[in-house]
Amino acid sequence: MKGRKRRSVTLLLAPVLIAGLGATAPAHAEAPLPFRDPALSVDRRVDDLLDRLTLDEKISLLHQYQAAIPRLGIQSFRTGTEALHGVAWLGEATVFPQAVGLASTWDPDLMERVGSAVGDEARGFQQERPAGWGLNLWAPVVNLLRDPRWGRNEEGYSEDPELTGALSTAYGEGLTGGDPDHLKTAPTIKHYLANNNEWHRTTTSSDLRPRVAKEYDEAAFKPAIEADAATGVMSSYNLVNGRPATVNPDLNDVVRTWTDRDLFNVSDAFAPGNLHGDQKYFPSVVEGDAAALKAGLDSFTDNDANSSVTTGAVKSALQQGLLEESDVDEAAGHILSVRVRLGEFDPGGGRYGSIDKSVINSPAHRRLAREAATEGAVLLKNQAGALPLKKSAKDVAVVGPLADTLYTDWYSGTLPYAVTPADGIAAKLGVPQVAQSEGVDRIALKNAATGKYVTAGTDADGEPLKETSASDTSAQFDVFDWGGGVVTLRSAANGKYVGYNWSSFVNDQVQPGGWFAQQQFKLEAQPDGTHLLRYAGYETEEPWWSNPVYVGPTDADGTLGLVEKDKAARYTKDVVRDGIAEAVAAVKGKDTAVVVVGSNPSINGREAHDRTDMSLAPAQEALVKAVRKANPHTVVIVENSYPTTLGALQQEVPALLWTSHAGQETGNALADLLYGDANPSGRLTQTWYRSESDLPSILDYDIIKSDRTYQYFKGRPLYPFGHGLSYTTFRYGDLKRVGDGYQVRVTNTGSRAGDEVVQLYVHQRVSRDKQPLKQLKAFEKVSLKPGESRTVRLPLTARDLAHWDVTRSRWVTESGTYDVMAGSSATDLRARTAWTVRGETIPPRDLARTTRAENFDDYSGVRLVDESKVRGTAVGTSADGGWLKFADTRLGGGAGEVTARLAGAPGTLEVRLGSPTGPLAGTARFSGTSSPYTYETVTAGLAGVERGRVDVYLVLSGGVRMSTFSIR
């Protein structure tokens, strides 16, 4: 394990202690305590401080909320300021595009500048230290966007580890300031590891065979750590190969090998409690916390600000011999290393201590937010030059549910101002406003039995909803369709959304939000033409929710509450205003119709909730079709956080522009792009699929076997990875190998200046192992004037072609021919060449040596499981017939015995040749063990094994676990 090593500081301390205790030394001559001396190395300062702390004080550092230590003049410290796309939860701050939008710029330089701005603003809060403030930032998220249905898709960068690694490193370098010994902030990348589903996220296990772990998931985390652009990782909620990530030994055994610097690893919120809670992995918090500390976790994010549970558990673990004081010293040293490097103990707070709140939402940061929102938008389609629009055509209508509003997500900061699409277009055209319509129905809900209407309060704070005889605007609601049957209701009386407050329904929310989005409803049509109003807040999906979910009067005054279905009110839905008709009227005869559709980031998938529907909401799709029919000069903006199956719209509309929820400058950025003051340069960082049927289960993490992401997907995508159009065109010359890379000449052949993202892919033609169809290895974003050419150089060495060899558990570059391709996307490849590489040949397997079962080549009917609670991966089966393939094995004629380490239920291990049902060479019988972690060695004789090379299959009966085996 790499990291800071304790060294003796006795000689260093001696003169300082003498000076501190001696009465003859004048006060002004006293040297600072060594841990406060910036002239000393970080290690020496940490060692000095550790030696000054009591055991209890060191233990107090292991919780998210670290108490002050007054006797040494040390302030309190809190880990975990959210800074995904701006500083969040501390008040108004610059809000940049969502992470997936930032990544769509494919611009590391821009990412670093955004990271630097966010780091400055985190520092800007330091003078006041508001609640929740801290310089340990929990960002960026580098989990790969392997499945676009992941609820947290908005938080990640890409489905590709090369792109993710480059962008996260750039963002991290901006956050740190670029000098790992003098940190602006201390970024923590999250969530380690293989965290890409929210469904039962604390109890589902992500199966990572070694190739997937090494080539894919770990590859996204390594670059930022290796470049010292991050100071640690956050462990994820899920299990990996049957073991909770909170106690994943990789935290020490893998992650800390990527750098020689100290890393400070933290848990996700409340995750330590899951170890003895819903995961039931350890019997108590004491065993769980001890195991986490041993595995490499340094800070426990648990029990909110109450650190006593964690500190008490650590003290008990020490008393019980589960931990040693050296374990505490190791973890405490990691956090102190970060605190020293942040300048906390330096005079004036160190290099960045003078930054104040004047940087927050500064004019420079506003300009940067606009630049990022502009670069992150992707032009998906532009038929017959529909875009850019002409500024002379000022008679424009902007319609759609996102036309005049900006939504924020859970990890967003508070918008200091909001430029909506309608605002931006009006400003671009120099007019006070443009014609608008949200295109949503306004309805009244009337109780079919009583004739009374559902009414809301008219003041700014709203009132509990009641059934009354009123039929004015207090009884009218705008209905926003977000798909999956979910709608939100905005009161026409005060413009606020209706939400549940745990006792009644009140129209008091500016927009849906909160950890539980309590503003969600479903209008369930009944056979008699009425509707039941069903409450569909997120908490109704939580296992602890037991209340009824239908709406009806619960008091004599008609106040609405939750009732059982048989007591629910039946409402007629009276349409006061037809939203589509209003939008059609707004766009008829206009020079241009701009339709803005998309998602609500509090509803359409987010933390704790995956998407089940990848399409646009039906009402939004109907709106686009109607507007397009009414005005052929229609362009569509899709504003959401993930790939969308656009159905027929992709063919029907002439122009499609995608943007994430892009922050405060969204409208200005979109207007710049629509009217050609900026040329679209964003590129997709994920494959956009045509249908959910293109995807396997969201719980299937084996991208190699299940043909996931652009690397292995064999179908035809709606839009490919790397796709993005421009208002100009580019020509590629020949691709040539030069030095340690390739170069290609790119020319802007159009009439506008523009940016091209030159992408370099490789494909290995022949390999022992299944290889990607193509794999991104380098990219560069270049700006070219009309007619300008530039030679773009892209690094690529033979080492970059390596993949994980499971036969020898190491990286290997195979000899052979590799296709090298450059172009504008994974499917638009303009230049190609072949590279003959002299590497090595993977030899036949030698199963006479002890082989780990997890190092198979193929499998069926098995899961990867924890070999022990400390470390190691085994293979387990839940039903008879699960098998493992070990390809190209050289068996000697004397191979007469199989030996295996098995655990679990009684059963058998069969050795078959050629296929899972091929000739049976032998059967080992196993009597079972009392624990799945207790292994016994079994042996069996083999017959009919001939000398030569053959695929060996091991077939297991249900309930058996296997860790290792050999055939001799």
Side-chain angles (χ1 to χ4, degrees), residues 29 54 81 165 253 257 289 382 389 431 479-480 489 546 574 650 692 699 746 802 811 814 840-841 900 928 938:
T54 67
T81 297
D253 299 348
T257 67
D289 283 7
N382 191 23
L389 304 174
V431 298
V479 183
F480 291 80
L489 302 175
S546 60
D574 302 335
Q650 194 275 335
E692 289 90 344
L699 300 180
V746 180
W811 293 98
E814 291 181 281
E840 59 180 299
T841 300
V938 299

Side-chain angles (χ1 to χ4, degrees), residues 847-888:
L847 297 185
R849 296 181 297 182
T850 298
T851 300
R852 297 204 61 82
E854 64 178 314
N855 285 327
F856 49 74
D857 291 292
D858 198 5
Y859 63 96
S860 176
V862 301
R863 294 292 307 269
L864 293 171
V865 295
D866 49 339
E867 183 177 7
S868 75
K869 290 192 174 184
V870 178
R871 59 174 36 83
T873 297
V875 174
T877 58
S878 57
D880 291 345
W883 54 262
L884 304 174
K885 175 183 178 181
F886 295 86
D888 190 25

Side-chain angles (χ1 to χ4, degrees), residues 753-870:
D755 293 348
E756 171 71 333
V757 179
V758 182
Q759 303 163 40
L760 188 74
Y761 296 88
V762 299
H763 167 66
Q764 185 173 347
R765 291 184 183 177
V766 179
S767 173
R768 176 198 183 278
D769 302 309
K770 181 178 179 180
Q771 294 295 331
L773 302 173
K774 59 181 70 73
Q775 191 173 13
L776 182 73
K777 288 298 179 182
F779 65 93
E780 184 173 341
K781 192 169 192 174
V782 293
S783 298
L784 297 173
K785 298 175 183 177
E788 182 182 4
S789 296
R790 183 175 304 174
T791 298
V792 180
R793 292 177 173 82
L794 300 162
L796 183 69
T797 67
R799 185 177 179 181
D800 298 324
L801 304 175
H803 74 277
W804 189 255
D805 174 18
V806 294
T807 72
R808 296 171 294 175
S809 294
R810 66 177 178 85
W811 293 98
V812 59
T813 299
E814 291 181 281
S815 295
T817 301
Y818 294 76
D819 294 315
V820 184
M821 304 156 281
S824 293
S825 78
T827 61
D828 184 8
L829 300 169
R830 316 277 188 84
R832 297 171 180 265
T833 189
W835 183 18
T836 301
V837 175
R838 185 175 299 172
E840 59 180 299
T841 300
I842 299 174
R845 278 190 183 269
D846 179 8
L847 297 185
R849 296 181 297 182
T850 298
T851 300
R852 297 204 61 82
E854 64 178 314
N855 285 327
F856 49 74
D857 291 292
D858 198 5
Y859 63 96
S860 176
V862 301
R863 294 292 307 269
L864 293 171
V865 295
D866 49 339
E867 183 177 7
S868 75
K869 290 192 174 184
V870 178

Side-chain angles (χ1 to χ4, degrees), residues 545-565:
W545 180 265
S546 60
N547 286 4
V549 294
Y550 288 90
V551 177
T554 56
D555 293 327
D557 66 354
T559 298
L560 296 181
L562 292 176
V563 298
E564 300 292 345
K565 185 174 184 178

Side-chain angles (χ1 to χ4, degrees), residues 134-442:
L135 292 175
N136 171 228
L137 307 186
W138 287 353
V141 171
V142 300
N143 294 110
L144 293 164
L145 305 183
R146 151 202 79 97
D147 194 307
R149 297 167 297 189
W150 185 35
R152 304 181 74 169
N153 196 87
E154 66 198 30
E155 298 181 37
Y157 286 156
S158 170
E159 68 183 35
D160 181 77
E162 176 71 29
L163 180 59
T164 296
L167 298 179
S168 59
T169 299
Y171 190 71
E173 287 177 341
L175 292 175
T176 65
D179 181 348
D181 284 332
H182 299 88
L183 299 170
K184 182 188 295 185
T185 65
T188 299
I189 54 178
K190 54 184 187 179
H191 313 78
Y192 193 89
L193 185 69
N195 177 196
N196 194 222
N197 66 273
E198 297 302 291
W199 187 83
H200 291 193
R201 61 180 179 168
T202 64
T203 55
T204 54
S205 180
S206 306
D207 284 14
L208 294 186
R209 58 197 282 198
R211 280 195 65 196
V212 176
K214 297 295 182 182
E215 297 173 25
Y216 194 64
D217 288 275
E218 289 178 17
F221 282 82
K222 184 178 181 180
I225 297 292
E226 195 172 45
D228 295 322
T231 57
V233 302
M234 173 188 284
S235 60
S236 53
Y237 284 121
N238 56 290
L239 296 82
V240 177
N241 296 345
R243 181 181 298 105
T246 310
V247 291
N248 188 341
D250 281 6
L251 296 172
N252 270 336
D253 299 348
V254 175
V255 177
R256 285 197 161 102
T257 67
W258 294 337
T259 178
D260 288 324
R261 296 190 179 273
D262 269 354
L263 294 180
F264 171 55
N265 297 330
V266 308
S267 79
D268 210 335
F270 302 100
N274 293 334
L275 291 170
H276 64 278
D278 57 5
Q279 291 171 342
K280 296 180 174 56
Y281 203 70
F282 293 101
S284 73
V285 64
V286 175
E287 286 93 338
D289 283 7
L293 205 64
K294 285 279 195 182
L297 197 72
D298 304 310
S299 179
F300 293 79
T301 314
D302 211 2
N303 302 293
D304 291 321
N306 177 14
S307 63
S308 65
V309 178
T310 294
T311 57
V314 172
K315 291 174 185 178
S316 294
L318 287 165
Q319 293 169 358
Q320 296 175 32
L322 300 175
L323 291 173
E324 298 178 1
E325 187 171 351
S326 60
D327 297 316
V328 175
D329 285 351
E330 188 71 25
H334 295 150
I335 175 56
L336 290 177
S337 174
V338 167
R339 292 178 68 169
V340 165
R341 288 183 278 156
L342 284 168
E344 179 181 345
F345 309 124
D346 293 359
R351 181 179 295 179
Y352 301 102
S354 63
I355 298 176
D356 61 27
K357 65 180 181 181
S358 64
V359 301
I360 299 173
N361 192 38
S362 66
H365 291 180
R366 294 182 184 190
R367 291 191 295 272
L368 184 59
R370 183 169 181 167
E371 180 184 355
T374 303
E375 278 204 44
V378 181
L379 183 60
L380 298 174
K381 180 183 180 182
N382 191 23
Q383 186 176 14
L387 290 175
L389 304 174
K390 294 186 171 116
K391 294 178 192 173
S392 58
K394 296 182 181 294
D395 197 9
V396 175
V398 184
V399 301
L402 286 85
D404 198 32
T405 189
L406 297 183
Y407 288 110
T408 56
D409 60 50
W410 176 246
Y411 288 104
S412 172
T414 302
L415 292 169
Y417 60 88
V419 182
T420 69
D423 293 336
I425 291 172
K428 180 67 65 178
L429 296 177
V431 298
Q433 63 182 31
V434 291
Q436 295 178 39
S437 168
E438 290 178 306
V440 301
D441 289 345
R442 178 166 290 182

